[in-house]
Amino acid sequence: MLLIHSVSELRAHLVQQRSIAFVPTMGNLHEGHIELVRMAKQRGTCVVVSIFVNPLQFGPNEDFDKYPRTLEEDCAKLQGLADFVFAPAVSDMYPEQQTLYIEPPPIANELCGAFRPGHFRGMATVVLKLFNLVQPHIAIFGKKDYQQLAIIRQMVTQFNLPIEIVGAETSRAADGLALSSRNQYLSSEERTEAVNMYRTLTEAASELKAESKNLAKIELKASQTLANRGWQVEYVAIRSQNGLIQPAAGERKLVVVAAARLGKTRLIDNLEVCL
Ligand code: PAF
């Protein structure tokens, strides 16, 4: 496994590779990321993992500065799985001020986008840059960031990028909490409480299966359940799996998505439901 910091070195090493499977990350790797890398290893002859905390996708009051940076530990976890780890400095990714951005589709202004203005614009811009640098034939993203995945799929389709996008199932702790680098911000009491987002989504998913017409009622109940437990709920919503749009009548492939804060930590999760 080779750790590469510069764009020129990356290009020199990847130019001869035929079948690149790519996992973009912001580092602080947990089992969920490692599972994505294992999937990549099954699907490409060369596995590239990027580790880059992208300033463009953080708002002014978000956790860019305190986002955990653990490159050495991350590289140890990737030994034997990744062929190349690309960990550029901010000045390498953005040698000049980025004045051109990907304008993401309207869905980027809803759900998480309504609470994190500019987040998906910054995310889509860096993912396009990474795609251009790595030129993978396949890229793997976790379904935990469902909205991110939906936007990346649209970007790849609408810009005719020759990349297969694979969505990987969410990795969970034994109690059901979705794995996330941000879980480490939780105090031990908050960590105990955190599983209730998954439980609430599980309950909403069962209600949806039983009573698929009254989506607003299910959303409201789930939202109130979390709020009553002390969460600051941003949204609980039932959307179509396809592009996260409002489901049409009779839509069968749905997803319950949620975002809420527990203390200072913002958590997101979702569950797909097929009726
Ligand atoms: O999901 C993430 O870790 C990031 O949003 C990504 C896709 C690596 C872009 O910075």
Side-chain angles (χ1 to χ4, degrees):
M1 191 197 79
L2 193 64
L3 172 62
I4 295 177
H5 292 289
S6 82
V7 164
S8 53
E9 211 190 329
L10 180 79
R11 283 196 196 281
H13 281 286
L14 295 188
V15 74
Q16 284 156 356
Q17 300 292 340
R18 287 243 179 99
S19 159
I20 298 175
F22 179 41
V23 182
T25 80
M26 298 205 299
N28 194 239
L29 304 182
H30 51 64
E31 187 49 34
H33 296 111
I34 300 302
E35 194 48 42
L36 305 185
V37 183
R38 284 194 200 103
M39 285 174 70
K41 202 168 166 55
Q42 286 170 355
R43 286 156 193 260
T45 53
C46 169
V47 173
V48 179
V49 177
S50 64
I51 295 182
F52 180 64
V53 185
N54 171 36
L56 249 51
Q57 68 188 73
F58 288 80
N61 299 319
E62 294 188 340
D63 55 347
F64 175 71
D65 287 334
K66 75 165 185 171
Y67 199 88
R69 287 152 172 93
T70 52
L71 185 59
E72 217 172 300
E73 292 92 319
D74 292 346
C75 287
K77 290 177 186 165
L78 291 169
Q79 283 294 349
L81 286 173
D83 297 289
F84 299 100
V85 175
F86 177 49
V90 172
S91 55
D92 263 302
M93 277 306 281
Y94 301 111
E96 53 185 70
Q97 198 196 345
Q98 190 75 24
T99 51
L100 283 171
Y101 292 86
I102 286 286
E103 190 58 45
I107 182 60
N109 300 320
E110 299 177 28
L111 305 171
C112 286
F115 295 87
R116 303 188 69 189
H119 167 68
F120 288 117
R121 189 174 88 137
M123 180 283 295
T125 301
V126 83
V127 170
L128 181 63
K129 282 168 77 88
L130 288 166
F131 282 173
N132 285 334
L133 292 170
V134 175
Q135 304 204 357
H137 81 285
I138 189 165
I140 305 184
F141 294 84
K143 283 192 191 175
K144 181 177 146 295
D145 293 291
Y146 212 91
Q147 192 171 6
Q148 166 171 286
L149 179 59
I151 290 166
I152 290 167
R153 284 193 194 284
Q154 291 184 29
M155 178 175 82
V156 165
T157 305
Q158 293 183 25
F159 285 98
N160 305 92
L161 303 182
I163 303 170
E164 182 190 345
I165 301 298
V166 174
E169 295 307 322
T170 301
S171 294
R172 297 184 180 278
D175 64 357
L177 175 68
L179 298 188
S180 162
S181 300
R182 290 187 169 104
N183 291 351
Q184 65 190 259
Y185 299 155
L186 299 167
S187 67
S188 62
E189 294 81 46
E190 287 168 345
R191 172 62 189 85
T192 308
E193 173 56 31
V195 68
N196 284 300
M197 175 174 274
Y198 173 66
R199 290 193 183 138
T200 306
L201 289 177
T202 306
E203 209 173 298
S206 319
E207 287 167 8
L208 189 52
K209 283 187 176 152
E211 196 193 349
S212 63
K213 286 204 174 60
N214 210 336
L215 306 191
K217 187 173 140 201
I218 298 169
E219 290 170 347
L220 184 66
K221 184 176 163 214
S223 186
Q224 279 171 348
T225 302
L226 288 172
N228 291 341
R229 301 190 66 91
W231 296 65
Q232 288 165 265
V233 181
E234 291 185 355
Y235 63 83
V236 177
I238 299 168
R239 294 291 177 99
S240 164
Q241 284 179 25
N242 184 10
L244 273 179
I245 53 173
Q246 296 282 357
E251 171 77 61
R252 302 181 77 83
K253 289 176 123 188
L254 301 171
V255 56
V256 193
V257 286
R261 282 177 193 276
L262 197 50
K264 291 199 169 113
T265 309
R266 183 175 186 275
L267 298 177
I268 58 172
D269 200 353
N270 63 77
L271 279 184
E272 289 182 327
V273 181
C274 292
L275 301 177

